[in-house]
Amino acid sequence: MNEHIARQLREAAESHQPDRARMLARVQRGAAGPAARHRARSGLRSWPKAALAGLATAGILATGGFAVASIVRTQPPSDTTTAPSAPSPTVTPSPTPSAQPAATAPAQAPAPATSAPASPRPTPSTSSRAQNGPLWSEGSIDTHSTVYWGQDNLTLRTAQPLTSLTVELRIAQTGDVRDTGNWRTLPSDDFTVTAQESGGALVYRWVLKPGRTVPAGQHEFAGQYNHATGVRSSANDSYRVDAQSAGGSASVGGGFAPAR
């Protein structure tokens, strides 16, 4: 049976509506039979024939119904053979490696603190040069100094005229230090000069007299002294200058550089 006939049978079976009334009528007519041709001989033999005829009709109808139902339900075999698809391989994602913590070096125990013996604090050397406002100064040991005698020189520069000035030189007492004189480049009548021992040093002091003025420029002050035989150290010698000008007060100070 080809595809076309099978399709027609399925459509006919789906559209078929059995008429039960007609079927019962046909069963009854077949059971009764034509009155002229068939005469019932007896009532006992007529009933089995009617029952057999009804059963045969019902069997024919049932057989036809089963055949149609089997045609409708049976699907035609497909002409195309489809090969079973191979199962796609399952890709299992590789586990992401967890970040390993960086190796931490074991902390080292701090070394025990060792207290170094306290050393005496060194005394900073005093610079021989200084500058402040209009003043600039420099102290030095005179090159003519000998193993018996010495002279400390102070060079003072001022950018403005000074209405007040005090210059002080301190010659440290290193042994047998005694005054032998002093001098300055400014007029001697403009200053009050003193030389005396004070606080372990020979102190020279020049003080500008009232009403006098120190002109702008460079000026020299010097203190002379004898000392014990030998090379004398001037490390503790010092000077200080205090001045007043139109711009205000200013001070400079320092030490004395060795002779060169």
Side-chain angles (χ1 to χ4, degrees):
M1 183 182 295
N2 58 24
E3 179 68 22
H4 179 69
I5 295 174
R7 186 171 62 253
Q8 287 183 347
L9 288 175
R10 286 195 302 271
E11 292 176 356
E14 292 175 357
S15 64
H16 174 72
Q17 299 292 334
D19 191 344
R20 299 183 63 183
R22 291 179 62 186
M23 293 171 60
L24 291 175
R26 289 177 63 182
V27 170
Q28 290 175 2
R29 284 195 305 271
R37 290 183 177 180
H38 305 282
R39 292 178 59 184
R41 292 182 181 181
S42 66
L44 293 173
R45 299 179 62 181
S46 63
W47 182 86
K49 292 181 178 180
L52 291 173
L55 291 173
T57 304
I60 294 170
L61 292 176
T63 303
F66 288 148
V68 172
S70 64
I71 293 172
V72 173
R73 292 175 183 175
T74 305
Q75 296 295 333
S78 176
D79 296 337
T80 305
T81 302
T82 305
S85 59
S88 59
T90 302
V91 179
T92 303
S94 60
T96 303
S98 59
Q100 297 296 330
T104 304
Q108 296 181 355
T114 57
S115 58
S119 58
R121 187 182 184 89
T123 303
S125 59
T126 304
S127 173
S128 61
R129 293 184 180 181
Q131 183 172 4
N132 182 19
L135 301 180
W136 179 93
S137 62
E138 180 179 15
S140 62
I141 301 299
D142 194 89
T143 56
H144 296 93
S145 298
T146 67
V147 294
Y148 308 103
W149 175 89
Q151 177 175 300
D152 287 7
N153 299 329
L154 172 63
T155 301
L156 178 64
R157 298 175 188 171
T158 175
Q160 298 177 357
L162 303 177
T163 57
S164 174
L165 177 63
T166 300
V167 178
E168 182 177 278
L169 271 61
R170 298 182 65 88
I171 312 302
Q173 185 57 261
T174 57
D176 296 335
V177 174
R178 293 186 297 271
D179 172 34
T180 60
N182 62 84
W183 58 267
R184 73 256 136 229
T185 55
L186 291 170
S188 57
D189 294 340
D190 292 348
F191 289 89
T192 302
V193 182
T194 60
Q196 59 183 1
E197 294 273 349
S198 175
L202 173 62
V203 180
Y204 294 94
R205 183 178 289 112
W206 295 265
V207 179
L208 183 65
K209 295 179 178 179
R212 309 294 174 92
T213 302
V214 174
Q218 179 172 310
H219 312 286
E220 302 287 339
F221 296 84
Q224 300 172 339
Y225 52 90
N226 286 333
H227 60 79
T229 304
V231 178
R232 179 183 176 274
S233 172
S234 60
N236 294 324
D237 295 357
S238 63
Y239 70 86
R240 178 180 176 85
V241 178
D242 297 304
Q244 183 77 31
S245 66
S249 60
S251 298
V252 289
F256 291 88
R260 293 187 297 269

